[in-house]
Amino acid sequence: MKLADYKATLSFSNNSPSMEMPVYEGNIGPDVIDIRKLYGQTGMFTYDPGFLSTASCQSAITYIDGDKGELLYRGYPIEQLATQCDFMETCHLLLYGDLPDAKKKTEFTRLVSIHTMVHEQMQFFLRGFRRDAHPMAVLTGLIGGMSAFYHDSTDITNAQHRDISAIRLIAKLPTLVAMAYKYGIGQPFMYPQNKLSYSGNFLRMMFGNPCEDYEVNPVLERALDRIFILHADHEQNASTSTVRLCGSSGTNPFAAIAAGVACLWGPAHGGANEACLNMLEEIQASGGLNKVGEFMNQVKDKNSGVRLMGFGHRVYKNYDPRAKLMQETCKEVLAELGLENDPLFKLSMALEKIALEDDYFVQRKLYPNVDFYSGIVQRAIGIPVNLFTGIFALARTVGWIAQLNEMIGDPEYKIGRPRQLFTGSVRRDVPPINQR
Ligand code: CMC
């Protein structure tokens, strides 16, 4: 970390001595005040629920400029990665810090592809779930369960174990997501086919069956690959911070990633794509475009509890660059499938148009986020709504692992242990049961 040439001084109005704190500079983005000695010197904690002003770590992986609407993976703009690279190159970039040359790309892709099969016994573990279980519940279980199937790569302090578990997770997630889907609809599991691309293989495992050859549609293959690139990492969001906190105890990588999957499930995070599509379907069912105005009035009414899902972001106070790319992909996929008049796409364009001009959204800087269009693309491809967040988890796995491994390699890393402002009862004695 680079020390800035100035310091921060904290002074108190009650005559307690003031305190000087070092400031560190990032390569881009805000500087940070180092408060690590604060408690030792003053006996006080800082209070920041939701981490509104707190950097929880140093990281060299992903950078977001929320005001500009800029997203960089290892310095490369998301727009360039999404149009000039594929997901395997993006994984290599996030994991190892650089884009692979042609030879390294072939080697890395091959390495991932030879790990796509899962232990045969995992299907029996999966069969323990109800057929109608939510795929995120199944995935949380299956990924946590990987630590029982691959216990030769669970030592987080061993670099070789970390490398193997990283490749295993990236390679096997598509297989597990597709298995969760096939199980739910009662179809046989499809074994991976390693000559196909990462997204082509996933499409085949999802929509192929053992009775027929499956032809991968290159437009859908590219669209899915783009979905994976756009979701691959997003710096210290809730699920990534969960993975880091979970991993900080020294637990194994599969357990830490399972914790991330569980966190991603929530509707304020990865579950927003599912919630967004459900919202569009409800508006459509209640009258479609004619009901957009009424729905927007509900969104603006704080007492209604209704939010425009797929809108707003803690960091982006401008158009989410991923949403723009996703909107392009959406148009391509709908055109390919002859669904240009898709009513939900029309509905989302109408909602976006109103929101971008409406004072409520303008004043609060609420713009479409990645989830606003990703659901429409996935639905057009044939992915069921309750699997959307599973697709997000599949794509985000590489980011979680890159962040976990970065944390373990950081000499400043410690087990995460936030403190609290206690507002409960002060010490009291337990009264006898007949006096309570
Ligand atoms: N619809 C209506 N009002 C909203 C929305 C929305 N989608 N998002 C924020 N607001 C309002 C909110 O009511 C508040 O108004 P006020 O200042 O008058 O009280 C103001 O905007 C600030 O909102 P906040 O909840 O304090 O902001 P936050 O940073 O805590 O929340 C968010 C960020 C993403 C949770 C929130 O915008 C939201 O719930 N959006 C809908 C869910 C969604 O699309 N989530 C996906 C996020 S992107 C994918 C990912 O990273 O997982």
Side-chain angles (χ1 to χ4, degrees), residues 268-269 272 302 307-311 313-314 360 364 369 371:
H269 192 8
K302 282 292 163 64
R307 282 199 167 195
L308 180 56
M309 299 312 284
F311 253 73
H313 199 275
R314 172 63 60 80
Y360 175 94
R364 290 170 179 78
N369 60 52
D371 292 321

Side-chain angles (χ1 to χ4, degrees), residues 345-399:
F345 184 58
K346 290 207 160 141
L347 206 51
S348 54
M349 298 283 277
L351 287 167
E352 178 184 326
K353 188 167 185 303
I354 296 176
L356 293 181
E357 288 163 3
D358 190 298
D359 260 4
Y360 175 94
F361 295 90
V362 173
Q363 274 167 14
R364 290 170 179 78
K365 298 188 176 162
L366 300 171
Y367 292 87
N369 60 52
V370 67
D371 292 321
F372 198 61
Y373 290 105
S374 73
I376 299 172
V377 181
Q378 294 190 54
R379 176 172 157 275
I381 292 177
I383 296 167
V385 178
N386 69 357
L387 204 66
F388 289 1
T389 317
I391 305 290
F392 191 158
L394 183 172
R396 183 56 59 85
T397 294
V398 63

Side-chain angles (χ1 to χ4, degrees), residues 102-117:
K103 182 167 171 275
K104 279 195 192 145
K105 179 180 172 182
T106 309
E107 284 165 8
F108 180 73
T109 307
R110 173 77 188 140
L111 181 65
V112 171
S113 72
I114 57 171
H115 282 280
T116 49
M117 260 197 317

Side-chain angles (χ1 to χ4, degrees), residues 429-436:
D429 294 322
V430 175
I433 195 160
N434 59 357
Q435 287 173 30
R436 289 177 208 163

Side-chain angles (χ1 to χ4, degrees), residues 5 39 57 81 107-108 126 155 226 230 233 237 244 254 264 276 285 291 301 310 323 339 343 354 371:
D5 57 4
Y39 178 58
C57 62
L81 293 169
E107 284 165 8
F108 180 73
L126 170 58
D155 180 1
R226 182 176 277 194
L230 299 185
D233 196 44
N237 55 82
R244 280 184 177 256
F254 304 111
L264 187 74
C276 180
K291 291 286 171 181
D301 172 8
L339 299 170
I354 296 176
D371 292 321

